[in-house]
Amino acid sequence: MSRYSNTDQEDIHEHDRGLAHDLPILLSRRGALSVLGGFGLVTLNGCAASPLAGTASTPPASPRSTPSASESSTGAATGELIPEETAGPFPSNGSNGRNVLNQSGVVRSDITASFGTASGVVTGVPLTVTLTVLDSRNGSSAYPGAAVYLWHATPDGRYSMYSDGVKEENYLRGVQECDAAGQVTFTTIYPGAYDGRWPHIHFEVYPGVEDAVNASSRLRTSQLAFPETESALVYATNGYANSSANLAGSSLESDMVFSDGYSLQLATMSGTVTNGMLATLNVPV
């Protein structure tokens, strides 16, 4: 159940949604619940430390469950698509103000540093994110040539290009093309948890790099969730103090994006805080 009142949710929804989300909201699984009654309107938290985001737009093929981290990343076997989620208020894809996708240098694997005219570098616990994009229209086989735009918050919950202090930076954002196995790999840092949200990463999937840099023909927008155990270990390190407190006050079950089920979005983790961590996830589209 959401921790916000219906009035709060409506205010959040109006603040975050853009034209790209207005029409999908009418068909969203959460919107459908609101129309059918019984649960009220459930809005989604986006990706800023204070603003919250709009709703998801496309329902999964079947109800979502909430297994452990070891059972995650298996959506292709069930025939379910990765759930459609909000891009949040700060996607920097041109749908809400600034656009990083049309900037030279955005196609890259290491997203810890800014590029172009910006020069900032963000530090934190090293994290490698590997997503395997699967083509649901082709027997859930690998989707070579697809492209992923990925972005997330700093350890203190800020988003480059939008948040105070980092508006001139564009780190923690990048595009990658899937290899023959349908995989993309990003080198980054473990994202922070800010008030109202569980630790997560945003991503969009496109048919190809040209589509991604033009923000056209988008196949899916979704979010990756992190397990509690690994998050708690990371947040006990320097630079994540606020994240530790925010993690203690939230849960996957109460998060405004993952509360309806997260089985297809919960990353499988390996590695250590000292040597760096690896998050993997299958992304059926």
Side-chain angles (χ1 to χ4, degrees), residues 3-24:
R3 293 170 292 156
Y4 298 87
S5 68
N6 287 341
T7 300
D8 291 336
Q9 291 170 332
E10 291 168 1
D11 291 341
I12 289 165
H13 174 69
E14 291 299 326
H15 173 81
D16 288 331
R17 73 180 184 183
L19 179 59
H21 298 296
D22 289 343
L23 294 179

Side-chain angles (χ1 to χ4, degrees), residues 133-154:
V133 180
L134 304 172
D135 188 354
S136 63
R137 298 164 298 180
N138 191 26
S140 293
S141 59
Y143 200 145
V148 175
Y149 168 42
L150 180 146
W151 71 100
H152 65 82
T154 63

Side-chain angles (χ1 to χ4, degrees), residues 30 44-45 85-86 197 223 255-260:
R30 297 171 177 85
L44 304 181
N45 188 353
E85 305 288 10
T86 176
R197 281 307 316 272
Q223 298 184 27
D255 183 80
M256 297 179 72
V257 169
F258 302 122
S259 60
D260 65 341

Side-chain angles (χ1 to χ4, degrees), residues 199-222:
H200 65 282
I201 284 179
H202 295 262
F203 61 90
E204 295 177 333
V205 183
Y206 293 87
V209 170
E210 184 175 355
D211 300 295
V213 298
N214 288 291
S216 63
S217 304
R218 179 184 58 83
L219 298 174
R220 215 74 175 164
T221 298
S222 196

Side-chain angles (χ1 to χ4, degrees), residues 46-48 87 90-92 109-112 122-129 149-163 166 170-174 186-194 198-203 223-224 226 235 240:
C47 57
F90 303 141
S92 196
S109 179
D110 190 334
I111 61 174
T112 56
V122 65
T123 59
V125 172
L127 174 69
T128 300
V129 179
Y149 168 42
L150 180 146
W151 71 100
H152 65 82
T154 63
D156 57 1
R158 295 185 293 174
Y159 281 82
S160 66
M161 304 183 74
Y162 292 95
S163 301
V166 295
N170 53 24
Y171 45 52
L172 305 184
R173 300 178 183 274
F186 292 90
T187 300
T188 185
I189 54 96
Y190 207 98
Y194 43 82
W198 189 257
H200 65 282
I201 284 179
H202 295 262
F203 61 90
Q223 298 184 27
L224 173 153
F226 288 91
Y235 294 167
Y240 289 93

Side-chain angles (χ1 to χ4, degrees), residues 90-126:
F90 303 141
S92 196
N93 59 8
S95 65
N96 185 21
R98 308 182 69 177
N99 189 354
V100 74
L101 296 176
N102 59 10
Q103 297 183 17
S104 177
V106 71
V107 180
R108 64 209 186 116
S109 179
D110 190 334
I111 61 174
T112 56
S114 291
F115 60 94
T117 59
S119 59
V121 178
V122 65
T123 59
V125 172

